Coordinates of all heavy atoms in Angstrom, one line a residue:
A263 N 40.3 -9.0 -29.1 CA 40.5 -9.6 -27.7 C 39.8 -10.9 -27.6 O 40.1 -11.7 -26.7 CB 39.9 -8.6 -26.7
F264 N 38.9 -11.2 -28.5 CA 38.1 -12.4 -28.4 C 38.6 -13.5 -29.4 O 37.9 -14.5 -29.6 CB 36.6 -12.1 -28.7 CG 36.0 -11.1 -27.8 CD1 35.8 -9.8 -28.2 CD2 35.7 -11.4 -26.5 CE1 35.3 -8.9 -27.3 CE2 35.1 -10.5 -25.6 CZ 34.9 -9.2 -26.0
A265 N 39.7 -13.3 -30.0 CA 40.2 -14.2 -31.0 C 40.3 -15.6 -30.5 O 39.8 -16.6 -31.2 CB 41.6 -13.7 -31.5
K266 N 40.9 -15.8 -29.3 CA 41.0 -17.2 -28.8 C 39.6 -17.8 -28.5 O 39.4 -19.0 -28.8 CB 41.8 -17.2 -27.5 CG 42.1 -18.5 -27.0 CD 43.1 -18.4 -25.8 CE 43.4 -19.8 -25.2 NZ 44.3 -19.7 -24.1
V267 N 38.7 -17.0 -27.9 CA 37.4 -17.5 -27.6 C 36.6 -17.8 -28.8 O 35.9 -18.8 -28.9 CB 36.7 -16.5 -26.7 CG1 35.2 -17.0 -26.4 CG2 37.4 -16.3 -25.4
K268 N 36.8 -17.0 -29.9 CA 36.0 -17.2 -31.1 C 36.4 -18.5 -31.8 O 35.6 -19.3 -32.3 CB 36.3 -16.0 -32.1 CG 35.5 -14.8 -31.8 CD 36.0 -13.6 -32.6 CE 35.6 -13.7 -34.1 NZ 34.2 -13.7 -34.4
N269 N 37.7 -18.9 -31.7 CA 38.2 -20.2 -32.2 C 37.5 -21.4 -31.5 O 37.3 -22.4 -32.1 CB 39.7 -20.3 -32.1 CG 40.4 -19.5 -33.2 OD1 39.8 -19.3 -34.2 ND2 41.6 -19.1 -32.9
I270 N 37.2 -21.2 -30.2 CA 36.5 -22.2 -29.4 C 35.1 -22.3 -29.8 O 34.5 -23.4 -30.0 CB 36.7 -22.0 -27.9 CG1 38.2 -22.1 -27.6 CG2 35.9 -23.0 -27.1 CD1 38.5 -21.7 -26.1
F271 N 34.4 -21.2 -29.8 CA 32.9 -21.2 -29.9 C 32.4 -21.2 -31.4 O 31.3 -21.7 -31.6 CB 32.3 -20.0 -29.2 CG 32.3 -20.2 -27.7 CD1 33.4 -19.8 -26.9 CD2 31.3 -20.9 -27.1 CE1 33.3 -19.9 -25.5 CE2 31.2 -21.1 -25.7 CZ 32.3 -20.6 -24.9
E272 N 33.2 -20.6 -32.3 CA 32.7 -20.6 -33.7 C 33.0 -22.0 -34.3 O 33.7 -22.8 -33.8 CB 33.3 -19.5 -34.4 CG 32.9 -18.1 -33.9 CD 33.3 -17.0 -34.8 OE1 34.1 -17.2 -35.8 OE2 32.9 -15.8 -34.5
K273 N 32.3 -22.2 -35.5 CA 32.3 -23.6 -36.0 C 32.8 -23.7 -37.4 O 32.9 -22.8 -38.2 CB 30.8 -24.1 -35.9 CG 30.3 -24.2 -34.5 CD 28.9 -24.7 -34.4 CE 28.4 -24.9 -33.0 NZ 27.0 -25.4 -32.9
S274 N 33.1 -25.0 -37.7 CA 33.6 -25.4 -39.1 C 32.5 -26.3 -39.7 O 31.7 -27.0 -39.0 CB 34.9 -26.2 -39.0 OG 35.9 -25.4 -38.3
L275 N 32.5 -26.3 -41.0 CA 31.5 -27.1 -41.7 C 31.9 -28.6 -41.6 O 33.1 -28.9 -41.6 CB 31.4 -26.7 -43.2 CG 30.7 -25.4 -43.5 CD1 30.7 -25.2 -45.1 CD2 29.2 -25.5 -43.1
A276 N 30.9 -29.4 -41.5 CA 31.0 -30.9 -41.6 C 29.9 -31.5 -42.4 O 28.9 -30.8 -42.6 CB 31.0 -31.4 -40.1
V277 N 30.0 -32.8 -42.7 CA 28.9 -33.4 -43.3 C 28.1 -34.3 -42.3 O 28.8 -34.8 -41.3 CB 29.4 -34.3 -44.5 CG1 30.0 -33.5 -45.6 CG2 30.4 -35.4 -44.0
N278 N 26.8 -34.4 -42.4 CA 26.0 -35.1 -41.4 C 25.7 -36.5 -41.8 O 24.9 -37.2 -41.1 CB 24.7 -34.3 -41.2 CG 23.9 -34.1 -42.4 OD1 24.1 -34.9 -43.4 ND2 23.0 -33.1 -42.4
K279 N 26.3 -37.0 -42.8 CA 26.2 -38.4 -43.2 C 27.4 -38.8 -44.0 O 28.1 -38.0 -44.5 CB 24.9 -38.5 -44.0 CG 24.9 -37.7 -45.3 CD 23.6 -37.9 -46.1 CE 22.4 -37.2 -45.5 NZ 22.5 -35.7 -45.6
S280 N 27.6 -40.1 -44.2 CA 28.7 -40.6 -45.0 C 28.3 -40.4 -46.5 O 27.2 -40.7 -46.9 CB 28.9 -42.1 -44.8 OG 29.3 -42.4 -43.5
L281 N 29.3 -39.8 -47.2 CA 29.1 -39.4 -48.6 C 30.2 -39.9 -49.5 O 31.4 -39.8 -49.1 CB 28.9 -37.8 -48.7 CG 27.8 -37.2 -48.0 CD1 27.9 -35.7 -48.0 CD2 26.4 -37.6 -48.5
P282 N 29.9 -40.3 -50.7 CA 30.9 -40.8 -51.6 C 31.6 -39.7 -52.4 O 31.1 -38.7 -52.6 CB 30.1 -41.8 -52.5 CG 28.8 -41.1 -52.6 CD 28.5 -40.5 -51.3
Q283 N 32.8 -40.1 -52.9 CA 33.5 -39.2 -53.8 C 32.6 -38.8 -55.0 O 31.9 -39.7 -55.5 CB 34.8 -39.8 -54.3 CG 35.6 -39.0 -55.3 CD 36.8 -39.7 -55.8 OE1 37.2 -40.8 -55.3 NE2 37.5 -39.1 -56.7
G284 N 32.6 -37.6 -55.4 CA 31.7 -37.1 -56.5 C 30.3 -36.7 -56.1 O 29.6 -36.1 -57.0
H285 N 30.0 -36.9 -54.9 CA 28.6 -36.4 -54.4 C 28.5 -34.9 -54.6 O 29.5 -34.2 -54.2 CB 28.4 -36.9 -53.0 CG 27.1 -36.4 -52.4 ND1 25.9 -37.0 -52.7 CD2 26.8 -35.3 -51.6 CE1 24.9 -36.3 -52.1 NE2 25.5 -35.3 -51.4
I286 N 27.4 -34.4 -55.1 CA 27.1 -33.0 -55.2 C 26.5 -32.5 -53.9 O 25.4 -33.0 -53.5 CB 26.2 -32.6 -56.4 CG1 26.8 -33.2 -57.7 CG2 26.0 -31.1 -56.5 CD1 28.2 -32.7 -58.0
L287 N 27.1 -31.6 -53.2 CA 26.7 -31.2 -51.8 C 25.4 -30.4 -51.9 O 25.3 -29.5 -52.8 CB 27.8 -30.4 -51.1 CG 29.0 -31.2 -50.7 CD1 30.2 -30.3 -50.3 CD2 28.7 -32.2 -49.5
T288 N 24.5 -30.6 -50.9 CA 23.3 -29.8 -50.8 C 23.3 -29.3 -49.4 O 24.1 -29.7 -48.5 CB 22.0 -30.7 -51.0 OG1 22.0 -31.7 -49.9 CG2 22.1 -31.4 -52.3
F289 N 22.4 -28.4 -49.1 CA 22.2 -27.8 -47.8 C 22.0 -28.9 -46.7 O 22.5 -28.8 -45.6 CB 21.1 -26.8 -47.8 CG 20.9 -26.1 -46.4 CD1 21.6 -25.0 -46.1 CD2 19.9 -26.6 -45.5 CE1 21.4 -24.4 -44.8 CE2 19.7 -26.0 -44.3 CZ 20.5 -24.9 -44.0

Side-chain angles (χ1 to χ4, degrees):
F264 302 103
K266 186 176 181 180
V267 177
K268 282 171 70 66
N269 282 334
I270 295 173
F271 282 94
E272 292 188 358
K273 296 180 176 180
S274 304
L275 285 178
V277 293
N278 58 19
K279 59 181 73 72
S280 294
L281 297 171
Q283 179 182 352
H285 176 80
I286 305 301
L287 290 168
T288 68
F289 180 86

